[in-house]
Amino acid sequence: MAKHSVAKHDSYDAIIIGSGFSGLYALHHLRDTMGLNVRAFDGAGGVGGTWWYNRYPGARVDAPSSPFYAYTFSEDLVNEWEWTETQTSQASVLAYLEHFAEKFDLTKDIQFETWIQDARFDEALQRWTIETDTGEIATAQFLICATGALFIANKPDYPGFDDFSGECYHTGRWPHEPVSFAGKRVGVIGTGSSGIQAIPEIAKEAAHVTVFQRTPQYSLPARNRLLAEGELAQYREDWEELRGSMYKRGGWPFKTTRRQAAEHSSEERRAVYEELWEEGGIHLSINSFRGVLVDKELNEEVSQFVRDKISELVQDPETARKLQPDYHFGTKRLILDNGYFETYNRDNISLVDIRENPIESFGRSSVRTRDEEHPIDVLVLATGFDAVTGSMLNINPKGVGGISLEEKWSERFNTYLGATVPDFPNLFMIHGPSSPGVLYTMPLGGERTTLWIAECIRHLQENELASMNATDAAAASWDKEINDMADQTLYPLTNSWYVGANIPGKPRQFLAHLRGSQYFDRLSDVAQTGFKGFEFKASALSREA
Ligand code: N01
C-alpha cells in the first residue's frame, strides 16, 4: 500500500496506533461519524493487524461461525461480504479488512511502515505528542491504542539458540513470501492455538515434523466446513436479531446452557459431551453444564472426556499418553483444530515431551534434547505472545510527570475499565488489560469500546474540557473487581498467558474481564452517570473565558 507521510509537527484531534479490526473501526467512527481530524499509524505494510502478521499455514479464526467474527455496525457490509466457511481462514479475514478499509476510504489516513517510538503527554497543552521511527512528530488531544492483545512475539531464549542456522519463523511474524516445507525436516516448538493449527498443514508437506511440546492441550474439533447454501442469506435476514443477541450475550449469538450437572446421571452427562464434541467448535465448553469453569469435579469430568477422545484419536498409546493435558479444561485459551490429534497417526511426525526430555542445545541443523538429537531444517516457533500488555509496554508512553507505563505497571497492570490508565489522560486502549479482550468477540468488542471512547470525547467537547484522567482509587477498585471475579473460577489456577505465566518475570495477574456483556453495560453506566472515577481538566479556551 502507498505510504502517506504526515508533515512534520502535524496536529490532530486523535491519533490511532494500529490498523487491525479495532484501529480501522476507530478511524472510521471518529473520522466519519464524529467528524474528527484523525491519523492512524501502523508498523505493518498494510491493514489487518493480527491478520496481517499471522499468515502461518492453517491460520484461522479460533472461534465458530465466521459471520459473527466481523463488524456488526453496517448492514451494507453484512449484505455484501461473502463468507464461505464456518471457520474463516486468515486470507479471508484479511481480504475482508482490506475491503472494509477500501469501502470507507480509510487508508488515506493511515501511515504504514511507521512505528511509534515515543508518546508523551504534555501537561501544559493537555495533548499527546508522538514521535515516529521515521522522525516525524505529531500531536493530538487523544491517543487511541488499538495495538493488539496478541502482538509482541514471545521468542524462547534457550542458551545456544543462535547456533541453529536453518530457516526459522515465528507464527506471529510469518513471511509474506510462500514458505516451502517440501522435503524438509521441520521442528515446531509450541502447541497453543497457532501450533495446533499449523502442525497438520505442515505435516501434509514436510518430509518430517518434530513437535516439541511443553504443555499438552485440550483442543476441540473445529469441524470447519463450507457454509451451506442459504446459511448466509438466513444470517443476513436475522442480522438485527442476531446482533442484539451478540450484545446481550458474551459477544456470540449462542445461548449458553442453564443445565445443572447434578440433575443428570453421569451417563446422561457423557451423552451430552458426546453430542457437543460431534457438533464441534466451542460448544463443549459453553453448552454442556453450568459451572464447568468453576466446579473442579465437573471440570475434571469434562477434562477426562477430552483426554479419552485424544486416546481414541491417536493410535500410538505412547504418543496419546504424552498428549494428555493435565490442567483444568478451558482455563487456557480453548483451541479449535482441524485434525490435530489425527495428524499424529501419520508416519512423518514425532512428538517430544520437553517436560520429560528438555531442549538442551541447538546445532546448525538440529535441536538437541536431553535424550536425542533431532535433525531440523526449518524451525517454527509457535511460542505465542507477551499477551495483552506487551504491545502497550512496547510503546511505553509517558504520562503525567513523565511517568512511564513501564513504571506505572511495574507491579500490577492497573487500568480503569480496561481502557484507561491513571496518569495517562486521554489515552484509551482497546482490548487493554482487564477488558474482556479475547474472551469476547474481538471485532464487536472493538466496536463497542470505540463507541464508549467516542462518548468520552463527546463529553469533553460538550463541556469544554481538555482531558480526563482515571483516578488511582478507581483503578484499584476495578482491579479488585476483576480479580474477585476471576478468583471465583478455575482460571487463575492454571499457568497461561491469561495470567502472564508464559513470560518469565511478568507480574502474575488475571488479565481479562470474564463477563463481556456486563462489562459493556458498565461502560455505558459510567458514561451515563457523569464518568465517575475520572478527573477532568478544563481546556485553555474555557479557562480564559
Ligand atoms: O500462543 P500460546 P499461540 N519452550 O501462548 C509454548 C490467539 N490465536 O500463538 O503452554 C517451549 O497459546 C507454550 O507452552 P506452555 C489465541 O487466543 C488466535 O498458539 O506455555 N515451549 C505453548 O504450547 C491464542 O490463545 C487465532 O507450556 C514454549 C505455545 O508455545 C493466542 O493467540 C489463531 C516456550 C504457545 O501457545 C496465542 O496462541 C491463533 C518455550 N520457551 C492464535 N514458550 C485466531 O484465530 C512458549 N511455549 C484469532
Side-chain angles (χ1 to χ4, degrees), residues 12-66:
Y12 300 95
D13 295 321
I15 285 174
I16 296 170
I17 311 178
S19 67
F21 261 104
S22 303
L24 287 177
Y25 179 70
L27 173 57
H28 164 60
H29 187 78
L30 299 186
R31 187 192 69 181
D32 302 337
T33 310
M34 295 191 71
L36 301 182
N37 176 17
V38 187
R39 186 77 178 166
F41 294 87
D42 200 314
V47 300
T50 284
W51 302 101
W52 167 266
Y53 288 100
N54 288 260
R55 298 164 181 250
Y56 58 85
R60 289 180 179 277
V61 175
D62 62 351
S65 300
S66 293

Side-chain angles (χ1 to χ4, degrees), residues 54 60-61 79 136 153 177 225 252 288 291 303-304 316 322 409 424 426 428 444 458 502:
N54 288 260
R60 289 180 179 277
V61 175
N79 287 333
E136 291 130 335
E177 308 72 46
R225 60 172 173 79
W252 302 108
S288 58
S303 302
Q304 190 55 45
D316 172 45
K322 289 183 198 162
W409 280 356
F424 293 79
N426 289 2
F428 296 96
L444 179 61
R458 205 170 291 117
N502 64 330

Side-chain angles (χ1 to χ4, degrees), residues 50-51 54 56 59-63 69 87-88 150 154-158 170-172 189-197 212-217 332-335 354-355 359 382-385 438 442 495-498 501-502:
T50 284
W51 302 101
N54 288 260
Y56 58 85
R60 289 180 179 277
V61 175
D62 62 351
Y69 186 86
Q87 197 196 14
T88 317
L150 296 156
N154 172 36
K155 294 198 177 140
D157 61 347
Y158 288 110
H170 190 283
T171 47
I189 303 181
T191 51
S193 298
S194 306
I196 283 181
Q197 287 183 345
F212 298 93
Q213 167 196 272
R214 188 162 70 181
T215 305
Q217 300 274 14
K332 275 175 179 274
R333 172 73 168 183
L334 257 186
I335 299 172
I354 60 171
R355 293 195 296 199
I359 294 176
T383 43
F385 304 90
V438 291
M442 293 193 90
N495 286 333
S496 69
W497 60 256
Y498 290 153
N502 64 330

